[in-house]
Amino acid sequence: MDRLEELRVFIAVADLQGFAQAARRLGISPAQASKLIARLESRLNARLLNRTTRSVSLTDGGRAFQARARALIEDFEQLEKSVQETATPRGLLKISVPVSFGMQLGPVLLDFAAAYPDVGLEVSVTDRMVNLVDEGLDAAVRIGTLADSSLVARKLASVGALTVASPDYLAKRGTPREPGELDRHEAILDLNAADPGVWFFGKGEDRISVKIGGRLRFANPYICVAAAAAGFGIARVPAFAAADELRSGRVMTLLKKHEPEPVSMYAVYPHARHLASKVRAFVDFLVGRLSGAAWD
Protein backbone atom coordinates (compact mmCIF):
# COMPACT_ATOMS: atom_id res chain seq x y z
CA MET A 1 0.00 0.00 0.00
CA ASP A 2 2.98 2.34 0.64
CA ARG A 3 4.00 1.91 -2.99
CA LEU A 4 0.52 2.89 -4.15
CA GLU A 5 0.74 5.99 -1.97
CA GLU A 6 4.08 6.85 -3.58
CA LEU A 7 2.51 6.57 -7.01
CA ARG A 8 -0.46 8.74 -6.01
CA VAL A 9 1.88 11.44 -4.70
CA PHE A 10 4.11 11.25 -7.78
CA ILE A 11 1.11 11.66 -10.13
CA ALA A 12 -0.21 14.61 -8.13
CA VAL A 13 3.20 16.34 -8.09
CA ALA A 14 3.62 15.76 -11.82
CA ASP A 15 0.10 17.04 -12.61
CA LEU A 16 0.34 20.14 -10.41
CA GLN A 17 4.08 20.76 -10.89
CA GLY A 18 4.67 21.35 -7.24
CA PHE A 19 4.96 19.56 -3.91
CA ALA A 20 2.87 22.03 -1.91
CA GLN A 21 -0.03 21.91 -4.38
CA ALA A 22 0.09 18.11 -4.50
CA ALA A 23 0.19 17.88 -0.70
CA ARG A 24 -2.91 20.07 -0.40
CA ARG A 25 -4.80 17.91 -2.89
CA LEU A 26 -3.87 14.72 -1.02
CA GLY A 27 -4.27 16.08 2.51
CA ILE A 28 -0.66 15.48 3.57
CA SER A 29 2.26 17.77 4.39
CA PRO A 30 4.75 18.93 1.73
CA ALA A 31 7.49 17.25 3.74
CA GLN A 32 5.64 13.92 3.58
CA ALA A 33 5.10 14.33 -0.17
CA SER A 34 8.81 15.05 -0.68
CA LYS A 35 9.77 12.03 1.46
CA LEU A 36 7.55 9.67 -0.56
CA ILE A 37 8.96 10.89 -3.87
CA ALA A 38 12.52 10.56 -2.61
CA ARG A 39 11.81 7.01 -1.46
CA LEU A 40 10.27 6.15 -4.84
CA GLU A 41 13.26 7.52 -6.76
CA SER A 42 15.67 5.73 -4.42
CA ARG A 43 13.97 2.38 -4.91
CA LEU A 44 13.86 2.84 -8.70
CA ASN A 45 17.41 4.24 -8.75
CA ALA A 46 16.19 6.88 -11.19
CA ARG A 47 15.43 10.60 -11.08
CA LEU A 48 11.77 11.18 -12.03
CA LEU A 49 11.52 14.90 -11.31
CA ASN A 50 13.67 17.93 -11.98
CA ARG A 51 13.47 20.29 -9.01
CA THR A 52 14.29 23.99 -8.84
CA THR A 53 13.40 26.57 -6.24
CA ARG A 54 10.51 27.73 -8.44
CA SER A 55 9.20 24.70 -10.29
CA VAL A 56 9.04 20.94 -10.64
CA SER A 57 9.11 19.18 -14.02
CA LEU A 58 9.28 15.62 -15.27
CA THR A 59 12.46 14.02 -16.56
CA ASP A 60 12.17 11.89 -19.70
CA GLY A 61 12.09 8.80 -17.52
CA GLY A 62 9.53 10.42 -15.24
CA ARG A 63 7.26 11.21 -18.18
CA ALA A 64 7.25 7.56 -19.29
CA PHE A 65 6.77 6.37 -15.71
CA GLN A 66 3.85 8.78 -15.17
CA ALA A 67 1.70 7.17 -17.89
CA ARG A 68 2.20 3.67 -16.50
CA ALA A 69 1.73 4.81 -12.91
CA ARG A 70 -1.54 6.58 -13.74
CA ALA A 71 -2.87 3.44 -15.45
CA LEU A 72 -1.98 1.32 -12.41
CA ILE A 73 -3.68 3.71 -9.97
CA GLU A 74 -6.80 3.90 -12.16
CA ASP A 75 -6.94 0.10 -12.37
CA PHE A 76 -6.62 -0.21 -8.60
CA GLU A 77 -9.31 2.39 -7.93
CA GLN A 78 -11.68 0.79 -10.42
CA LEU A 79 -11.02 -2.61 -8.83
CA GLU A 80 -11.97 -1.21 -5.43
CA LYS A 81 -15.12 0.38 -6.88
CA SER A 82 -16.17 -2.84 -8.58
CA VAL A 83 -15.86 -4.75 -5.29
CA GLN A 84 -17.72 -2.06 -3.36
CA GLU A 85 -20.56 -1.90 -5.85
CA THR A 86 -20.87 -5.70 -6.22
CA ALA A 87 -23.74 -6.53 -8.57
CA THR A 88 -25.97 -3.67 -7.46
CA PRO A 89 -25.43 -0.21 -8.97
CA ARG A 90 -24.93 2.29 -6.18
CA GLY A 91 -23.35 5.63 -5.40
CA LEU A 92 -23.73 9.14 -6.83
CA LEU A 93 -24.14 9.36 -10.61
CA LYS A 94 -23.18 12.77 -12.03
CA ILE A 95 -24.43 13.49 -15.55
CA SER A 96 -24.82 16.41 -17.96
CA VAL A 97 -27.73 16.88 -20.39
CA PRO A 98 -28.52 19.65 -22.91
CA VAL A 99 -30.96 22.35 -21.88
CA SER A 100 -33.09 21.76 -24.98
CA PHE A 101 -33.53 18.04 -24.23
CA GLY A 102 -33.70 18.29 -20.45
CA MET A 103 -37.50 18.53 -20.31
CA GLN A 104 -37.90 15.43 -22.48
CA LEU A 105 -35.36 13.47 -20.45
CA GLY A 106 -36.83 14.39 -17.05
CA PRO A 107 -39.40 11.56 -16.88
CA VAL A 108 -36.75 9.05 -18.00
CA LEU A 109 -34.41 10.18 -15.23
CA LEU A 110 -37.15 9.83 -12.63
CA ASP A 111 -37.94 6.33 -13.89
CA PHE A 112 -34.24 5.46 -13.61
CA ALA A 113 -34.19 6.80 -10.04
CA ALA A 114 -37.19 4.62 -9.19
CA ALA A 115 -35.59 1.55 -10.77
CA TYR A 116 -32.23 2.05 -8.97
CA PRO A 117 -32.91 3.32 -5.43
CA ASP A 118 -29.26 2.94 -4.39
CA VAL A 119 -28.07 5.37 -7.08
CA GLY A 120 -28.13 9.11 -6.38
CA LEU A 121 -28.53 11.50 -9.32
CA GLU A 122 -26.80 14.85 -9.79
CA VAL A 123 -27.91 16.32 -13.12
CA SER A 124 -26.30 19.36 -14.72
CA VAL A 125 -28.53 20.93 -17.39
CA THR A 126 -26.37 22.99 -19.73
CA ASP A 127 -25.59 23.50 -23.40
CA ARG A 128 -21.93 24.05 -22.56
CA MET A 129 -19.62 21.33 -23.90
CA VAL A 130 -18.43 20.05 -20.53
CA ASN A 131 -15.23 18.07 -20.06
CA LEU A 132 -16.42 14.92 -18.28
CA VAL A 133 -13.06 13.98 -16.78
CA ASP A 134 -12.04 17.47 -15.63
CA GLU A 135 -15.45 18.17 -14.09
CA GLY A 136 -15.86 14.76 -12.45
CA LEU A 137 -18.91 13.71 -14.47
CA ASP A 138 -19.80 10.10 -15.14
CA ALA A 139 -21.76 10.51 -18.38
CA ALA A 140 -23.53 13.01 -20.63
CA VAL A 141 -26.21 13.14 -23.30
CA ARG A 142 -25.13 14.97 -26.46
CA ILE A 143 -26.84 15.80 -29.73
CA GLY A 144 -25.00 16.22 -33.03
CA THR A 145 -21.46 15.57 -34.20
CA LEU A 146 -19.10 14.26 -31.53
CA ALA A 147 -15.73 15.97 -31.53
CA ASP A 148 -14.16 14.24 -28.51
CA SER A 149 -12.79 10.86 -29.60
CA SER A 150 -11.61 10.10 -26.04
CA LEU A 151 -15.20 9.26 -25.03
CA VAL A 152 -17.23 6.11 -25.54
CA ALA A 153 -20.48 6.90 -27.37
CA ARG A 154 -23.70 4.91 -27.72
CA LYS A 155 -26.38 6.16 -30.08
CA LEU A 156 -29.76 6.72 -28.48
CA ALA A 157 -32.00 8.26 -31.14
CA SER A 158 -32.24 10.47 -34.22
CA VAL A 159 -33.30 14.10 -33.93
CA GLY A 160 -34.48 16.18 -36.85
CA ALA A 161 -35.14 19.89 -37.22
CA LEU A 162 -38.65 21.15 -37.93
CA THR A 163 -39.84 24.45 -39.34
CA VAL A 164 -43.17 25.38 -37.75
CA ALA A 165 -45.76 28.16 -37.66
CA SER A 166 -49.33 28.60 -36.48
CA PRO A 167 -52.28 28.21 -38.87
CA ASP A 168 -53.33 31.79 -38.04
CA TYR A 169 -49.94 33.22 -38.98
CA LEU A 170 -49.90 31.31 -42.27
CA ALA A 171 -53.44 32.42 -43.08
CA LYS A 172 -52.34 36.04 -42.72
CA ARG A 173 -48.85 35.90 -44.24
CA GLY A 174 -49.04 32.94 -46.62
CA THR A 175 -47.28 29.56 -46.54
CA PRO A 176 -43.69 29.42 -47.88
CA ARG A 177 -43.23 26.57 -50.37
CA GLU A 178 -39.47 26.93 -50.82
CA PRO A 179 -36.73 27.88 -48.32
CA GLY A 180 -35.91 30.99 -50.37
CA GLU A 181 -39.34 32.42 -49.57
CA LEU A 182 -38.51 32.72 -45.86
CA ASP A 183 -37.03 36.19 -46.36
CA ARG A 184 -40.59 37.47 -46.70
CA HIS A 185 -41.50 36.18 -43.25
CA GLU A 186 -40.86 36.96 -39.60
CA ALA A 187 -38.52 34.34 -38.12
CA ILE A 188 -38.22 33.39 -34.45
CA LEU A 189 -34.56 32.67 -33.75
CA ASP A 190 -33.30 29.87 -31.50
CA LEU A 191 -30.07 31.17 -29.97
CA ASN A 192 -28.90 27.63 -29.18
CA ALA A 193 -28.01 27.20 -32.86
CA ALA A 194 -24.39 27.72 -33.91
CA ASP A 195 -25.52 30.55 -36.22
CA PRO A 196 -29.07 31.57 -35.27
CA GLY A 197 -29.40 33.82 -38.33
CA VAL A 198 -28.86 31.02 -40.84
CA TRP A 199 -31.13 28.03 -41.44
CA PHE A 200 -29.89 25.05 -43.45
CA PHE A 201 -32.06 22.98 -45.76
CA GLY A 202 -31.55 20.05 -48.12
CA LYS A 203 -29.36 16.97 -48.07
CA GLY A 204 -25.91 16.22 -49.45
CA GLU A 205 -25.00 18.28 -52.51
CA ASP A 206 -28.42 19.95 -52.40
CA ARG A 207 -27.72 21.52 -49.00
CA ILE A 208 -28.37 25.27 -48.96
CA SER A 209 -28.26 28.03 -46.35
CA VAL A 210 -30.94 30.69 -45.93
CA LYS A 211 -30.39 33.92 -44.01
CA ILE A 212 -33.35 34.81 -41.81
CA GLY A 213 -34.23 37.63 -39.45
CA GLY A 214 -36.77 38.46 -36.78
CA ARG A 215 -37.31 40.54 -33.70
CA LEU A 216 -37.82 37.62 -31.29
CA ARG A 217 -34.79 35.60 -30.20
CA PHE A 218 -34.78 33.01 -27.42
CA ALA A 219 -32.11 30.68 -26.06
CA ASN A 220 -34.79 28.02 -25.60
CA PRO A 221 -36.54 26.07 -28.37
CA TYR A 222 -39.71 25.57 -26.32
CA ILE A 223 -40.21 29.33 -26.04
CA CYS A 224 -39.57 29.61 -29.78
CA VAL A 225 -42.37 27.11 -30.42
CA ALA A 226 -44.68 28.93 -28.00
CA ALA A 227 -44.01 32.18 -29.86
CA ALA A 228 -44.77 30.47 -33.17
CA ALA A 229 -48.00 29.04 -31.73
CA ALA A 230 -48.95 32.56 -30.64
CA GLY A 231 -48.61 33.78 -34.21
CA PHE A 232 -45.38 35.77 -33.97
CA GLY A 233 -43.68 34.04 -36.89
CA ILE A 234 -41.90 30.92 -38.11
CA ALA A 235 -39.61 28.91 -35.82
CA ARG A 236 -36.95 26.26 -36.52
CA VAL A 237 -36.42 23.88 -33.61
CA PRO A 238 -35.50 20.29 -32.73
CA ALA A 239 -38.51 18.10 -33.44
CA PHE A 240 -38.94 16.99 -29.81
CA ALA A 241 -39.44 20.62 -28.75
CA ALA A 242 -42.42 21.00 -31.08
CA ALA A 243 -44.08 17.63 -30.40
CA ASP A 244 -46.81 18.82 -28.00
CA GLU A 245 -47.77 21.87 -30.07
CA LEU A 246 -47.91 19.74 -33.22
CA ARG A 247 -50.20 17.20 -31.57
CA SER A 248 -52.52 19.97 -30.39
CA GLY A 249 -52.61 21.58 -33.83
CA ARG A 250 -51.36 24.93 -32.53
CA VAL A 251 -48.49 24.76 -35.02
CA MET A 252 -47.95 22.91 -38.27
CA THR A 253 -44.82 21.91 -40.16
CA LEU A 254 -43.49 23.69 -43.23
CA LEU A 255 -40.93 22.78 -45.89
CA LYS A 256 -40.74 19.15 -44.71
CA LYS A 257 -39.29 17.84 -47.98
CA HIS A 258 -36.46 20.38 -47.65
CA GLU A 259 -35.40 19.52 -44.10
CA PRO A 260 -31.83 18.17 -43.68
CA GLU A 261 -30.95 14.70 -42.44
CA PRO A 262 -31.60 14.14 -38.71
CA VAL A 263 -28.63 14.27 -36.36
CA SER A 264 -27.86 11.63 -33.75
CA MET A 265 -28.26 11.74 -29.98
CA TYR A 266 -25.65 9.88 -27.92
CA ALA A 267 -24.89 8.83 -24.38
CA VAL A 268 -21.17 9.43 -23.82
CA TYR A 269 -18.85 8.47 -20.99
CA PRO A 270 -15.07 8.29 -20.43
CA HIS A 271 -13.09 5.20 -21.39
CA ALA A 272 -12.56 2.93 -18.40
CA ARG A 273 -11.22 -0.59 -18.15
CA HIS A 274 -13.72 -1.31 -15.40
CA LEU A 275 -16.89 0.67 -16.09
CA ALA A 276 -18.78 1.46 -12.89
CA SER A 277 -22.02 -0.50 -12.68
CA LYS A 278 -24.02 2.69 -12.03
CA VAL A 279 -22.80 4.14 -15.36
CA ARG A 280 -23.45 0.92 -17.25
CA ALA A 281 -26.94 0.68 -15.76
CA PHE A 282 -27.72 4.30 -16.67
CA VAL A 283 -26.53 4.02 -20.27
CA ASP A 284 -28.33 0.70 -20.76
CA PHE A 285 -31.50 2.28 -19.31
CA LEU A 286 -31.31 5.19 -21.77
CA VAL A 287 -30.71 2.85 -24.69
CA GLY A 288 -33.71 0.75 -23.65
CA ARG A 289 -35.97 3.79 -23.38
CA LEU A 290 -34.76 5.88 -26.31
CA SER A 291 -33.06 3.57 -28.81
CA GLY A 292 -34.80 3.62 -32.15
CA ALA A 293 -36.80 6.74 -31.35
CA ALA A 294 -36.88 9.30 -34.15
CA TRP A 295 -37.89 12.88 -33.49
CA ASP A 296 -38.16 14.10 -37.05
Side-chain angles (χ1 to χ4, degrees):
M1 190 59 70
D2 287 345
R3 292 190 177 187
L4 284 174
E5 188 63 21
E6 291 172 1
L7 295 184
R8 287 195 177 97
V9 172
F10 168 70
I11 292 169
V13 171
D15 286 346
L16 299 173
Q17 299 181 352
F19 285 89
Q21 300 94 314
R24 280 195 297 271
R25 172 191 283 183
L26 299 173
I28 61 177
S29 68
Q32 180 68 6
S34 180
K35 178 182 177 181
L36 289 168
I37 294 298
R39 192 167 66 189
L40 175 63
E41 289 180 322
S42 176
R43 189 175 65 255
L44 296 176
N45 193 29
R47 179 176 292 277
L48 302 175
L49 298 168
N50 293 315
R51 304 161 175 82
T52 70
T53 56
R54 294 186 177 181
S55 66
V56 175
S57 62
L58 288 165
T59 65
D60 289 341
R63 194 170 292 107
F65 185 75
Q66 180 191 28
R68 298 294 299 275
R70 192 187 303 279
L72 286 171
I73 291 296
E74 289 177 353
D75 278 351
F76 181 78
E77 290 176 348
Q78 290 294 339
L79 176 62
E80 284 189 329
K81 286 182 180 179
S82 67
V83 173
Q84 292 167 354
E85 292 175 346
T86 64
T88 303
R90 66 179 69 251
L92 179 62
L93 180 68
K94 301 175 71 173
I95 63 174
S96 172
V97 301
V99 173
S100 58
F101 192 63
M103 291 179 64
Q104 297 289 328
L105 196 59
V108 179
L109 295 176
L110 295 180
D111 288 346
F112 175 80
Y116 294 93
D118 293 327
V119 177
L121 277 178
E122 184 173 306
V123 183
S124 171
V125 182
T126 177
D127 286 323
R128 181 173 58 86
M129 189 62 68
V130 298
N131 185 304
L132 300 189
V133 176
D134 288 351
E135 300 189 33
L137 296 170
D138 296 297
V141 174
R142 290 182 178 167
I143 300 173
T145 303
L146 298 178
D148 192 344
S149 60
S150 68
L151 300 175
V152 180
R154 289 184 65 181
K155 183 176 177 180
L156 301 175
S158 296
V159 179
L162 291 182
T163 308
V164 300
S166 72
D168 288 344
Y169 174 87
L170 297 175
K172 295 175 183 176
R173 299 288 299 271
T175 302
R177 305 296 179 186
E178 300 291 333
E181 298 175 15
L182 288 170
D183 60 1
R184 308 171 195 168
H185 290 268
E186 185 74 14
I188 301 164
L189 279 63
D190 180 0
L191 297 179
N192 288 304
D195 187 347
V198 177
W199 291 353
F200 291 93
F201 293 91
K203 302 173 177 66
E205 296 180 354
D206 296 326
R207 184 176 170 86
I208 62 171
S209 61
V210 177
K211 290 186 177 181
I212 49 88
R215 67 187 183 93
L216 298 185
R217 306 178 178 208
F218 303 102
N220 185 297
Y222 296 93
I223 301 178
C224 291
V225 175
F232 285 98
I234 298 174
R236 190 92 180 292
V237 296
F240 56 76
D244 290 341
E245 299 289 5
L246 283 169
R247 279 192 289 267
S248 70
R250 296 189 66 207
V251 298
M252 56 188 295
T253 57
L254 314 171
L255 306 170
K256 282 206 70 172
K257 68 178 182 179
H258 299 284
E259 296 292 8
E261 293 285 356
V263 297
S264 295
M265 178 190 300
Y266 301 92
V268 299
Y269 52 92
H271 282 277
R273 295 188 184 183
H274 306 286
L275 184 63
S277 61
K278 63 185 179 183
V279 179
R280 181 180 293 107
F282 176 69
V283 174
D284 287 346
F285 193 86
L286 289 185
V287 170
R289 287 288 296 269
L290 303 177
S291 184
W295 284 283
D296 54 7

